[in-house]
């Protein structure tokens, strides 16, 4: 069975690694990852986890492995247009993966560190956690990221520290040539610490972009980490985002993921390991797709210890000829008695040529558990649509209201009102 | 409730009670698989040339195919050369009447609770009994013939109705479908054939009883059921095997074809030998079952109670081609000790206004692993298709596993698909309540499990439902400490 | 205001309305009564523009416009309001947001400036007070978790907010206890004026004790078979519908 795609990008990656210097803290980790990538390459649709999601069409072309010349100088206006109205946040701007100090806020919070990732490699917290939660032998794209990443951030919050204001990371792409980039992030939120991070994306150019992002997250004992991801972009963008989360006892981790029309190819992997007792994990996702877009969300929740609960709710709205993919796996390991795991995936197909593939999975090895999953595919409730119309509400508005209502189970869970309004605005825009 | 208890009272601490062997003079082909094996089987059955060719073609495909790797267990190593592909009671292969059947054989079926002698027959059930590789008796044949219904062994159908066999064989499960289907197409020895003519409602349940007896043999039977326009048939299938230390292979193929306005109801109570408590022995049950609702408003309903086999690998499926056609799948699968079940269904919505319903109840005890694997696919032309799936798992004991792998794919913006699944442990409060009313834990579990499976058991014809309830009770004995 | 001429409508090929005529003028209240299945709710649905019904013949003009030519939302914007027999629950759509959207869509159609937050809320508060509907609407989804009585009162509140010319109350009394019935009726009475009109569809006379109609019509087998004043309602209450059915049978 051929589980690999041969592509020029593969050859380029191999060649790049071979020409690079192989010394320093990361050398061993990179080597292992490279060996794995060299063997496994990019996954074909024969690989079960890539069954509905074909990388082939866009990794054939010639892509730059490093950013070439950047186009415009970034103005304040561009950054301002990327802000979330009403959100009081620390702004961090990354241009083509590089931290821009002049455009970012200075964050003077106790115990807080934010550095370009390659500047953090000698820090104890980096060395303790980097690469520990990602199995490069199992996931093709984490391997190539680990072998070759150059950009990204290391974010660290020490024990019992709290950063009240969210950190808003704005990713800006200004590249002038088609490129393949692999940013890498490591978040370490230590015992009892609390942190919120919001990530958004803008682009100022029209070049083809393939982004293979890998994020590792460590949430220490009793810590609380909230991560928001608002994915917007244009049809030139192809985005693979892999997030590995490791949680310790009594910690709380929330992930909010919003994927909007635009980015033509979007694949999110969100893996959470619940490695202690009394952990809570919440995953809320909304994907609203349009055009010929493909939005694919793969999640894994791994209950390893007793008395934890996980809650996952992903909702999808497919317009035009777009495709939605959802695959949610819940594992409850032998030790994980008294687990409560809940997973729900609801889809609306609105487009004539749209389609959905939903694959909710439970794998349960303990008996004293309460686990359930549900998946639905349907359309608007015509009765509701008629009711709204008899109140004078026009077709477009009525549909927006109903989609916002459909998304409500997810958007309502956003504790921050300005982010909630921002997302509702994106929904309205995304339906036009 | 009282009938449940009566049943339970009959169920003494018995292990696999069908595990006896029958001492009968058998003709057994030496182990091994080659074109010669196939030629031997074909000539033994006096088959026409086209069928031999069809078998050989399947065999050549089989040789090129690989074992599947997607299932949720480690595929055992199969040595296809270490199996005998033909075993038959020696006396005669064609029985003119029951009087000619070896009394030992009749006694076997009596023991299994499948009396073949007409006077003892269960009211309203016509039986085709398949012993190892061949059909030994088909009852009520004459009565059915009057209505134009054909119910006979596959071998007989090849002789008597070659045009029907040729027209439909392999049209629902092509021999290229999977390696086990290919193997079956190459070496199938017998099975049942049913044809219900236009407008006829089959007045009785049709039933096949499969029995593996000989050692080191595999059983590869093939069933083909054709329900012509506006006809109806309910078909039952049961199976047992002796207790043996080595694993035996069962790779059957079932094809169902429902024409316009026709309905086929297919029920299985599968109780092949599951192996002992350490997982030694037992049947490898790799079965391909598929039906097609060819005509408008046709309906196919699968009901299965799977308690036996060391490994069960089967996904009875329905292709909903006709507009307004309907497919159903009701399943209970029990695994205990080291048993593995990877089972479910595939429903393909192709026609407009097609409907399907899936109810699956998995019960895992001991070290048993139970997986539901299902596909609901809605094609672009299946306007207003509807599916509802409910998929529940019950866990008894802390060393077993329950897994759910549904695939839901829709390409139509008027279709509605709903899937729900739950996993929970057996209710301690329920057991306690029953204990408090004087019912011991083992019986309490059986009662609760029977209640849990009611929706599926209700789909079975009466006689089978009773048998299935008994089986569930026996299967779960000793699973609570 | 509303003129229905020889209206015929069918659903799934079955004819429900079989040539219905009705004239409603501003300031009037018309009651439509009739046994189950006579076509009362169909009439309400057809006027509001439900798609399931096929109009096979006849015409309906509303303030000089061809009503049947308009989309459901434009009918509403023109000033036609249907209080549903079974108001639909829409989880996730907040009452307030829904009402504000509806009010402003209707206002925009009439070339009025939108009501902004404060103004809107104070109007809402006034109307709630007028209708003695004190349920908190904030943080609740549209009709979700409302009792039967609350749903009906919410319909009347929407009526008060949207200020239609013609309101059709489809069995608004069903499922209401006597107190709720009184409150709903009082609300309607407070909202009636020289310039608007009501069509009250009901099974029972008791609602008409509270909302006194100018005319009462009996709908039977898709046609209005008898019209009269409020006394007709009393007569129906006393004698039931059978005498009408008989007289119809004689006619046929």
């Amino acid at each position: 069975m051929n589980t690999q795609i041969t592509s020029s990008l593969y050859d380029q990656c191999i060649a790049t690694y071979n020409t690079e210097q192989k010394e320093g803290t990361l050398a061993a980790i990179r080597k292992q990852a490279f060996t794995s990538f060299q063997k496994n390459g990019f996954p074909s649709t024969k690989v079960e986890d890539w069954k509905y999601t074909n990388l082939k069409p866009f990794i054939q072309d010639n892509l730059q492995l490093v950013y070439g010349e950047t186009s415009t100088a970034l103005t304040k206006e561009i950054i301002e247009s990327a802000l979330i109205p009403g959100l009081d946040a620390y702004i961090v701007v990354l241009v083509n993966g590089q931290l821009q100090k002049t455009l970012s806020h200075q964050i003077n919070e106790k115990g807080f560190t934010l550095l370009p990732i390659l500047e953090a490699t000698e820090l104890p917290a980096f060395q303790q956690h980097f690469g520990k939660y990602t199995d490069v032998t199992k996931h093709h794209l984490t391997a190539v990221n680990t072998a070759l990443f150059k950009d990204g951030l290391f974010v660290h919050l020490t024990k019992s520290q709290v950063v009240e204001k969210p950190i808003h990371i704005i990713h800006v792409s200004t590249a002038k040539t088609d490129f393949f980039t692999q940013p890498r992030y490591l978040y370490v939120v230590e015992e009892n610490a609390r942190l919120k991070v919001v990530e958004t994306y803008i682009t100022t150019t029209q070049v083809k972009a393939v982004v293979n992002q890998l994020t590792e997250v460590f949430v220490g004992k009793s810590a609380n980490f909230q991560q928001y991801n608002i994915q917007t972009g244009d049809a030139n963008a192809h985005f693979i985002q892999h997030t590995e989360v490791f949680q310790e006892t009594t910690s709380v981790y929330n992930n909010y993921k919003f994927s909007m029309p635009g980015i033509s190819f979007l694949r999110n992997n969100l893996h959470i390991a619940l490695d202690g007792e009394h952990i809570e994990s919440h995953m809320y996702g909304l994907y609203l797709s349009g055009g010929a877009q493909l939005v694919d969300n793969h999640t894994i929740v791994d209950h390893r210890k007793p008395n934890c609960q996980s809650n996952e709710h992903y909702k999808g709205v497919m317009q035009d000829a777009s495709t939605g993919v959802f695959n949610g796996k819940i594992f409850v390991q032998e030790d994980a008695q008294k687990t409560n795991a809940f997973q729900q995936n609801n889809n609306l197909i609105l487009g004539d040529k749209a389609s959905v593939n939903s694959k909710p999975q439970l794998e349960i090895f303990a008996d004293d558990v309460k686990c359930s999953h549900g998946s639905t595919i349907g359309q608007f409730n015509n009765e509701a649509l008629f009711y709204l119309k008899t109140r004078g509400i026009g077709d477009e508005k009525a549909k927006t209201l109903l989609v916002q209502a459909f998304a409500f189970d997810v958007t309502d869970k956003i504790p921050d009102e300005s982010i909630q309004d921002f997302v509702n605005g994106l929904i309205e825009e995304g339906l036009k | 409730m009282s009938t449940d208890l009566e049943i339970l009272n009959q169920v003494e601490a018995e292990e696999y009670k069908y595990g006896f062997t029958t001492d009968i003079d058998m003709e057994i082909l030496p182990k091994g698989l080659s074109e010669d094996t196939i030629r031997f089987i074909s000539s033994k059955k006096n088959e026409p040339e086209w069928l031999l060719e069809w078998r050989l073609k399947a065999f050549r495909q089989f040789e090129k195919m690989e074992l599947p790797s997607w299932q949720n267990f480690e595929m055992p190593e199969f040595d296809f050369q270490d199996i005998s592909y033909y075993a038959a009671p020696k006396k005669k292969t064609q029985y003119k009447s029951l009087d000619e059947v070896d009394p030992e054989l009749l006694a076997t079926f009596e023991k299994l609770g499948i009396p073949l002698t007409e006077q003892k027959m269960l009211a309203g059930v016509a039986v085709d009994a398949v012993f190892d590789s061949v059909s030994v008796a088909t009852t009520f044949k004459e009565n059915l013939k009057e209505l134009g219904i054909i119910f006979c062994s596959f071998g007989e159908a090849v002789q008597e109705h070659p045009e029907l066999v040729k027209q439909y064989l392999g049209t629902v499960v092509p021999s290229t479908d999977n390696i086990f289907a290919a193997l079956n197409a190459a070496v199938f020895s017998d099975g049942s054939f049913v044809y219900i003519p236009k407008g006829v409602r089959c007045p009785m349940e049709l039933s096949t009883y499969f029995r593996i007896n000989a050692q080191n043999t595999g059983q590869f039977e093939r069933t083909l059921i054709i329900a012509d326009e506006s006809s109806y048939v309910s078909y039952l299938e049961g199976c047992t095997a002796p207790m043996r230390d080595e694993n035996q292979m069962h790779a059957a193929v079932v094809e169902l074809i429902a024409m316009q306005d026709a309905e086929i109801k297919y029920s299985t109570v599968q109780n092949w030998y599951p192996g002992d408590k350490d997982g030694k022995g037992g049947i490898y049950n790799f079965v391909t079952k598929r039906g097609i609702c060819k005509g408008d408003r046709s309906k196919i309903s699968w009901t299965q109670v799977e308690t036996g086999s060391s490994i069960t690998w089967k996904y009875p499926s329905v292709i909903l081609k006709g507009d307004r056609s309907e497919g159903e799948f009701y399943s209970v699968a029990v695994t205990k000790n080291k048993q593995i079940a990877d089972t479910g269904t595939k429903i393909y919505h192709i026609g407009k206004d097609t409907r399907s319903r899936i109810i699956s109840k998995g019960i895992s005890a001991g070290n048993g692993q139970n997986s539901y694997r299902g596909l609901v696919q809605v094609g672009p032309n299946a306007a207003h298709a509807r599916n509802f799936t409910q998929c529940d798992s019950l866990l008894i004991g802390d060393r077993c596993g329950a897994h759910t792998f549904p695939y839901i794919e829709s390409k139509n913006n008027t279709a509605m698909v709903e899937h729900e699944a739950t996993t929970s442990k057996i209710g301690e409060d329920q057991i306690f309540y029953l204990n408090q009313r004087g019912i011991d834990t083992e019986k309490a579990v059986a009662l609760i499990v029977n209640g849990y499976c009611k929706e599926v058991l209700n789909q079975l014809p009466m006689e089978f439902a009773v048998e299935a309830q008994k089986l569930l009770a026996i299967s779960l004995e000793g699973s609570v400490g | 205001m509303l003129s229905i001429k020889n209206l015929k409508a069918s659903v799934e090929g079955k004819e429900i309305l079989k040539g219905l005529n009705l004239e409603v003028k501003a300031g009037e209240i018309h009651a439509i009564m009739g046994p189950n299945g006579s076509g009362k709710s169909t009439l309400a649905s057809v006027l509001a523009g439900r798609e399931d019904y096929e109009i096979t013949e006849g015409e309906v003009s509303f303030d000089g416009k061809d009503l049947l030519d308009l989309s459901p939302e434009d009918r509403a914007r023109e000033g036609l309001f249907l209080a549903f027999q079974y108001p639909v629950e829409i989880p996730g759509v907040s009452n307030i947001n829904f009402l504000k959207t509806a009010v402003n869509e209707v206002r925009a159609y009439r070339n009025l400036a939108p009501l902004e937050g404060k103004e809107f809320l104070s109007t809402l508060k006034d109307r709630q007070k007028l209708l003695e509907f004190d349920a908190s609407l904030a943080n609740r989804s549209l009709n979700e978790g409302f009792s039967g009585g609350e749903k009906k009162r919410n319909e009347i509140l929407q009526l008060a907010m949207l200020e239609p010319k013609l309101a059709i109350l489809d069995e608004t009394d069903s499922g209401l206890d006597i107190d709720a019935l009184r409150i709903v009726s009082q609300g309607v009475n407070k909202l009636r004026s020289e310039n608007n009109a009501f069509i009250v569809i009901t099974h029972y006379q008791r609602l008409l004790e509270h909302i006194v109609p100018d005319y009462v019509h009996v709908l039977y087998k898709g046609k209005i078979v008898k019209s009269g004043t409020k006394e007709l309602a009393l007569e129906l209450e006393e004698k039931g519908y059978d005498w009408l059915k008989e007289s119809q049978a004689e006619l046929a």
Side-chain angles (χ1 to χ4, degrees), chain B residues 83-119:
Chain B
I83 299 172
S84 165
Y85 288 88
Y86 188 79
K90 219 169 202 170
K91 264 196 154 172
K92 266 187 180 178
T93 42
Q94 284 283 327
Y95 301 102
K96 290 223 168 55
S97 80
L98 281 171
D99 303 334
E100 293 181 29
V101 177
D102 190 325
E104 191 74 24
L105 209 59
L106 284 180
T108 300
F109 281 98
E110 292 277 350
K111 250 195 222 173
L112 296 169
I114 318 294
L116 294 173
T117 43
E118 306 256 350
Q119 67 270 29

Side-chain angles (χ1 to χ4, degrees), chain A residues 383 387 389 391-392 394, chain C residues 50 73 77 82 105 155 158:
Chain A
E383 196 57 26
Y387 187 86
K389 286 183 179 181
R391 296 301 179 254
Chain C
R50 196 188 281 276
E73 57 269 35
R77 293 162 182 171
L82 171 63
E105 290 258 312
E155 293 289 289
Q158 290 170 26

Side-chain angles (χ1 to χ4, degrees), chain A residues 349-363:
Chain A
I349 301 188
L350 301 186
D352 287 344
K353 300 215 159 73
S355 62
V356 172
N357 301 303
S358 173
K359 204 182 143 199
Q361 280 175 237
L362 297 174
E363 294 205 43

Side-chain angles (χ1 to χ4, degrees), chain B residues 118-413:
Chain B
E118 306 256 350
Q119 67 270 29
K120 279 189 190 168
M121 232 160 330
L122 292 168
V125 182
V127 179
D128 180 26
V130 177
F131 192 80
D132 286 327
S133 298
V134 293
S135 170
V136 291
T138 309
T139 64
F140 278 121
K141 212 151 78 180
E142 292 308 311
N143 311 45
L144 294 168
K145 206 173 173 183
E146 283 166 26
L147 292 163
I149 295 171
I150 305 168
F151 177 41
C152 62
S153 72
F154 207 98
E156 202 179 324
V158 170
Q159 303 303 325
E160 311 274 323
H161 311 282
E163 70 301 335
L164 281 174
V165 175
K166 199 173 175 181
Q167 188 181 349
Y168 293 108
L169 177 69
T171 58
V172 191
V173 179
S175 53
T176 45
D177 192 78
N178 65 72
I179 188 168
F180 302 105
L183 179 62
N184 175 290
V187 304
F188 77 93
S189 38
D190 214 332
S192 298
F193 178 85
V194 177
Y195 174 79
I196 315 287
K198 276 184 194 170
V200 172
R201 210 185 146 82
C202 185
M204 59 182 80
E205 312 279 351
L206 302 185
S207 173
T208 302
Y209 217 93
F210 296 105
R211 171 79 181 169
I212 296 179
N213 192 63
Q215 212 158 352
N216 300 322
T217 55
Q219 179 152 335
F220 307 93
E221 83 278 356
R222 197 160 181 114
T223 302
L224 176 56
I225 300 177
I226 302 142
D228 216 328
E229 285 176 23
S230 304
S231 67
Y232 168 86
V233 63
S234 169
Y235 184 88
L236 322 170
E237 171 199 278
C239 16
T240 57
M243 289 156 71
R244 298 195 188 280
D245 283 349
E246 76 276 13
N247 298 107
Q248 277 176 289
M249 171 103 194
H250 173 243
V253 168
V254 176
E255 296 179 283
L256 310 182
I257 296 153
M259 302 301 198
Q260 190 175 307
D261 293 302
E263 180 176 350
I264 302 174
K265 201 170 153 57
Y266 194 106
S267 312
T268 305
V269 173
Q270 186 264 108
N271 185 28
W272 296 115
Y273 177 53
D276 70 6
K277 64 183 192 325
D278 301 317
K280 198 162 186 209
I283 302 292
Y284 289 151
N285 190 33
F286 289 77
V287 173
T288 308
K289 294 183 171 183
R290 192 175 301 142
I292 181 164
C293 285
K294 235 181 174 158
D296 294 353
R297 295 172 303 277
S298 52
K299 181 175 177 183
I300 289 177
S301 178
W302 296 103
T303 303
Q304 60 174 29
V305 175
E306 305 281 322
T307 60
S309 300
S310 63
I311 298 176
T312 295
W313 180 100
K314 77 182 254 203
Y315 316 92
S317 308
V318 187
I319 300 165
L320 297 169
K321 189 159 174 263
D323 291 349
R324 289 177 186 268
S325 60
E326 252 179 90
E328 290 178 338
F329 175 73
Y330 293 93
S331 171
V332 168
V334 180
T335 54
K336 68 162 183 180
N337 296 332
K338 296 266 168 81
Q339 270 177 282
I340 293 166
D342 195 308
T343 185
T345 185
K346 294 179 182 181
I347 310 266
Y348 302 89
H349 288 263
I350 296 167
K352 292 184 182 63
D353 294 304
T354 44
R355 288 191 177 357
S356 63
R357 186 178 171 82
I358 299 170
I359 306 289
S360 163
K361 306 276 179 178
I363 297 143
S364 313
N367 290 306
Q369 297 294 330
N370 211 321
S371 299
Y372 169 82
R373 184 181 303 280
L375 168 70
V376 174
Q377 193 176 70
V378 181
N381 298 322
H384 305 290
R386 295 278 181 279
N387 160 266
F388 175 77
T389 302
Q390 174 79 48
C391 184
D392 296 321
S393 305
L394 191 68
L395 295 152
I396 304 172
D398 57 4
R399 285 155 298 136
C400 54
H403 318 287
T404 317
F405 305 96
Y407 291 70
I408 304 156
E409 305 174 0
S410 175
K411 287 190 174 12
N412 191 290
N413 69 347

